[in-house]
Amino acid sequence: MVIAKKSLGQNFLIDKNIIDKIISSSEIENKSILEIGPGTGNLTTAILKKNPKKFYVVEKDNSLAELLEKEFGNKLSIINGDILKINEKDISKEKLTVFGNLPYNISTEIICRWIVNLDNLFWFDKLILMFQKEVADRILAESDTKNYGRLSVLANWKLDIKKICDVSPASFSPKPKIDSSVLKFEPKKKFYNFKKSSNLEYITRVFFNHRRKMIKKPFNVIFNGKSEIAEKLNIDLNLRPQNLSLNDYFLLTEEYEKLTS
């Protein structure tokens, strides 16, 4: 019997209905697939039945990596390592369809890192990822709502996102204390092309550090009090960070790049 390790945020997906919904959300046959955190291999088994062209898995837990090797042999290319320390672009020369039941303790870090590291040649064609529902709600949030924040802006910059389903604790072993959600991310055809993605990250970090206060102070920190930029973009400095649209943040990033180039 495999015992989940709390330190690795392990909760194994065991619900066949949820597994079916996940694999039905994307083409798998003859595609190059990457699964992150396959655990005991329940989703892995379902993916293999759909005949992928190539199938990579990243599993940090040494004992689970050995178990997967015994169970699936040469049907998988097993990478026994930490996804945060692996360059995802080195895994395959072909675009990947990615499935992942991400450990809750690093899920935000993983998606933020991928977004910030994205160039205009996407290394994936789809990401189908499981998150803590609270994190998924923040990713999907629209402006003027309490969940809207840095993660909403960063995630929706280059990616179209939709929810596949919510997942109850009963779908896992052991049962987590919170609900989960599965989201699908696909590359946008058009997006703002910044010189450095870290500039958008910087703008959103400074603004949302004081989300309950008016944006006048963070605006002045970034733009040295140049109120004409706010006037040009038709941004009211008495608003709060959650009141600005995605487009407002993208335009602010463009102005910041002009100022610092």
Side-chain angles (χ1 to χ4, degrees):
M1 181 182 167
V2 177
I3 298 171
K5 294 176 183 170
K6 229 177 186 178
S7 63
L8 296 179
Q10 290 176 341
N11 299 93
F12 305 128
L13 183 62
I14 56 172
D15 187 327
K16 188 178 181 303
N17 289 330
I18 297 297
I19 289 170
D20 286 345
K21 282 183 183 177
I22 291 170
I23 62 168
S24 298
S25 65
S26 177
E27 270 184 67
I28 293 173
E29 189 173 358
N30 211 29
K31 293 270 189 182
S32 292
I33 306 295
L34 168 64
E35 185 185 2
I36 297 154
T40 51
N42 296 334
L43 180 60
T44 316
T45 300
I47 291 171
L48 278 170
K49 286 177 182 173
K50 296 281 186 178
N51 301 314
K53 179 181 179 181
K54 188 76 179 167
F55 194 178
Y56 306 88
V57 300
V58 174
E59 178 53 66
K60 184 177 180 180
D61 187 321
N62 296 336
S63 57
L64 285 176
E66 286 175 20
L67 184 81
L68 293 164
E69 180 71 49
K70 284 178 191 169
E71 181 75 23
F72 300 106
N74 61 8
K75 293 176 184 174
L76 305 177
S77 290
I78 299 169
I79 302 163
N80 185 194
D82 183 345
I83 189 62
L84 287 170
K85 294 177 181 172
I86 292 166
N87 186 340
E88 56 280 355
K89 294 168 192 171
D90 291 340
I91 294 172
S92 170
K93 289 178 182 175
E94 295 185 42
K95 282 193 179 182
L96 293 163
T97 298
V98 183
F99 293 88
N101 175 15
L102 302 179
Y104 293 144
N105 54 351
I106 59 166
S107 62
T108 307
E109 191 178 353
I110 290 172
I111 195 67
C112 283
R113 194 193 125 185
W114 284 353
I115 291 161
V116 170
N117 287 346
L118 271 182
D119 53 32
N120 294 342
L121 296 171
F122 291 84
W123 57 273
F124 59 84
D125 57 17
K126 286 184 191 70
L127 305 173
I128 295 107
L129 305 174
M130 177 103 65
F131 295 91
Q132 187 174 334
K133 187 176 184 297
E134 178 200 344
V135 173
D137 288 346
R138 283 163 50 207
I139 290 170
L140 292 167
E142 296 183 354
S143 58
D144 291 316
T145 63
K146 66 174 184 176
N147 286 321
Y148 182 72
R150 284 189 70 220
L151 192 54
S152 324
V153 179
L154 289 172
N156 286 276
W157 167 33
K158 288 187 174 183
L159 300 168
D160 286 319
I161 309 164
K162 74 172 191 175
K163 185 187 285 190
I164 303 299
C165 60
D166 290 324
V167 188
S168 74
S171 297
F172 298 92
S173 176
K175 292 178 186 177
K177 293 176 181 174
I178 40 86
D179 290 332
S180 305
S181 298
V182 181
L183 303 183
K184 178 157 98 172
F185 302 75
E186 295 183 272
K188 287 181 176 176
K189 289 188 171 68
K190 289 183 179 179
F191 48 81
Y192 284 85
N193 203 353
F194 303 126
K195 291 169 191 169
K196 289 182 183 174
S197 55
S198 56
N199 287 329
L200 177 61
E201 191 186 24
Y202 169 66
I203 295 283
T204 53
R205 185 173 69 249
V206 174
F207 273 80
F208 282 102
N209 266 352
H210 304 284
R211 62 179 297 124
R212 293 186 182 176
K213 296 186 177 176
M214 291 186 294
I215 62 170
K216 188 171 187 177
K217 189 174 178 181
F219 178 88
N220 287 336
V221 167
I222 294 167
F223 293 104
N224 303 317
K226 294 180 187 292
S227 59
E228 62 271 20
I229 291 173
E231 288 166 19
K232 176 186 170 183
L233 301 181
N234 199 25
I235 289 175
D236 180 354
L237 296 179
N238 294 315
L239 294 173
R240 288 175 170 75
Q242 65 267 31
N243 302 131
L244 298 188
S245 68
L246 293 172
N247 206 51
D248 287 333
Y249 282 108
F250 301 151
L251 290 171
L252 283 165
T253 305
E254 278 194 332
E255 291 299 323
Y256 175 72
E257 290 196 331
K258 287 176 194 172
L259 204 64
T260 54
S261 60

